[in-house]
Amino acid sequence: MARDYYEVLGLGRGASSKEIKQAYRKLARKHHPDVNPGDKTAEERFKEINQAYEVLSDAEKRKKYDRYGERWEMAEAYEKARAEAGASGGWQTYQFDVNDLFRGGGRGHGFDNIFDLFGGAGRRGRGPMRGQNVEYATEISLEEAYAGTTRTLQLQSEETCVTCGGSGEVAGAVCHVCQGQGLVLRPRRLEVKIPAGARDGTRVRLANEGNAGARGGPRGDLYVVVRVQPHPRFERKGDDLVTDVPVPLDDAVLGGEVEVQTLEGKRIAITIPPLTQNGRTIRLSGLGMPKLDGKAKARGDLLARVRVVLPEKLSDRERELFEQLREEREKEKEEKIPA
């Protein structure tokens, strides 16, 4: 499911047109490809920002989006079907499920047959119907994924219409509040716990927190889909973390000791063996990400990747020693050449 357009622009649903324009300009400048050359993440973010602004800056599109969410482009087809059904009496005998627009299959499903659904051939009973499941995307930092975190969600969800009690009718007529749907959109606040070790695409299920069901049916579920933001110092590979560790040239050649910082902020001394090559990794067990497999306190590893640092300047004595080293290597090469 696409991210909520208001969330993309960092706004609430009551934002004014001026606030929408200001938020768009600020974010567009920040993530413009010209400002972030070669940054694919910034490029995708820029596209997402433009898509959100295109809809929310247009009063008519925004109105449809506020009512139908990501399916706003199907609003006209939905309204037309509902109007025709109301004229023939079909609306009062069938509770429309917007998901029918997107389902494939046999008779009574899919966009081609939507009018059959209202006309009578695909009518369903008037019993309770389970509410739709809802997905909500949220971003967290790598540190939050490491320790676990919580998010307070601001949602627009379908709730049972109080006026008609979810039946869609008042005194035998279509309810004027919910337009016969039995459901209305209302804002809600929910707090969700995101477990330690969450990855990109982790889905946290909140049972019975989705949209309300029609005619007294049970609620659907809410799925919070997690996206973990990139980190400037740590690269995640499964449950392992990789970080670059600068090592002076003399320590790489002769061996030594350097410090590596963990994601928690602790500094740990590690031994650099003599003649350590650039790019070699040193594994620190149990200092990676928590595992999501249910094993208590199980963690991945931290991989310290050696980055040999060459000196930027040499003293006269250092230059002399390097020249002597080069001379020795040249002599060794000559001695290996057969006479």
Side-chain angles (χ1 to χ4, degrees):
M1 176 176 288
R3 286 180 60 199
D4 182 89
Y5 287 159
Y6 290 97
E7 180 189 358
V8 169
L9 298 181
L11 298 171
R13 287 187 171 263
S16 66
S17 298
K18 182 179 180 181
E19 289 172 330
I20 291 173
K21 183 178 292 186
Q22 289 174 340
Y24 165 73
R25 287 178 174 175
K26 179 180 178 181
L27 292 170
R29 283 195 299 267
K30 179 180 178 182
H31 297 282
H32 197 283
D34 291 345
V35 182
N36 305 274
D39 188 337
K40 293 296 184 182
T41 301
E43 183 179 340
E44 291 302 317
R45 184 86 170 93
F46 183 72
K47 292 178 182 178
E48 189 178 44
I49 292 164
N50 275 283
Q51 185 179 26
Y53 180 68
E54 180 186 353
V55 174
L56 298 186
S57 62
D58 184 300
E60 189 61 30
K61 290 180 180 179
R62 183 181 180 184
K63 182 179 178 181
K64 294 176 182 177
Y65 181 77
D66 286 344
R67 183 165 188 181
Y68 298 103
E70 66 174 292
R71 296 168 179 169
W72 67 271
E73 293 178 290
M74 308 302 296
E76 292 183 8
Y78 169 67
E79 294 293 347
K80 181 178 179 181
R82 189 179 67 183
E84 292 192 6
S88 63
W91 178 252
Q92 296 187 24
T93 59
Y94 175 74
Q95 180 64 38
F96 177 67
D97 181 354
V98 74
N99 277 330
D100 287 326
L101 288 172
F102 303 91
R103 295 183 181 125
R107 185 173 180 80
H109 293 287
F111 184 76
D112 291 338
N113 295 313
I114 191 65
F115 298 104
D116 287 342
L117 286 171
F118 286 97
R123 291 179 184 174
R124 300 176 183 173
R126 297 178 57 77
M129 294 176 59
R130 187 176 186 276
Q132 297 177 22
N133 293 338
V134 176
E135 284 191 358
Y136 187 95
T138 190
E139 290 187 352
I140 63 174
S141 66
L142 187 60
E143 286 86 354
E144 289 175 317
Y146 181 87
T149 188
T150 60
R151 281 289 186 273
T152 299
L153 311 181
Q154 302 283 352
L155 305 173
Q156 287 280 340
S157 61
E158 291 181 347
E159 303 293 330
T160 300
C161 177
V162 177
T163 303
C164 64
S167 67
E169 299 177 2
V170 177
V174 174
C175 176
H176 69 283
V177 175
C178 66
Q179 302 299 312
Q181 297 183 63
L183 302 169
V184 292
L185 285 176
R186 289 201 183 98
R188 279 203 303 157
R189 286 167 58 93
L190 281 176
E191 187 173 273
V192 57
K193 291 184 178 180
I194 299 173
R199 305 179 181 183
D200 262 345
T202 292
R203 290 159 59 90
V204 181
R205 176 175 175 261
L206 281 72
N208 303 316
E209 292 292 355
N211 286 334
R215 298 185 294 278
R219 300 187 75 98
D221 298 333
L222 172 65
Y223 291 89
V224 178
V225 183
V226 176
R227 179 182 180 275
V228 183
Q229 299 167 337
H231 196 278
R233 287 191 300 108
F234 292 92
E235 177 186 354
R236 184 172 183 176
K237 292 187 175 181
D239 294 321
D240 294 336
L241 292 173
V242 182
T243 186
D244 288 336
V245 180
V247 176
L249 178 61
D250 52 336
D251 286 336
V253 174
L254 302 175
E257 188 176 272
V258 297
E259 286 189 340
V260 58
Q261 184 172 326
T262 68
L263 186 59
E264 289 180 299
K266 297 179 181 178
R267 304 193 72 85
I268 296 177
I270 60 174
T271 300
I272 305 298
L275 300 179
T276 293
Q277 300 297 310
N278 187 55
R280 174 178 175 177
T281 59
I282 299 173
R283 185 178 295 271
L284 305 176
S285 298
L287 295 179
M289 297 295 294
K291 294 181 181 290
L292 274 174
D293 58 7
K295 295 181 180 178
K297 298 182 179 180
R299 295 181 180 273
D301 300 331
L302 175 61
L303 305 178
R305 186 166 53 198
V306 172
R307 288 288 179 250
V308 178
V309 180
L310 299 178
E312 295 183 358
K313 293 182 180 180
L314 293 176
S315 66
D316 292 342
R317 177 57 179 161
E318 289 171 334
R319 181 175 295 278
E320 181 182 346
L321 291 173
F322 273 109
E323 288 176 349
Q324 289 178 6
L325 176 62
R326 182 162 60 183
E327 290 175 1
E328 290 295 327
R329 290 190 177 278
E330 291 296 331
K331 288 180 181 179
E332 289 179 0
K333 290 180 181 179
E334 292 176 359
E335 290 173 358
K336 291 180 180 179
I337 298 176

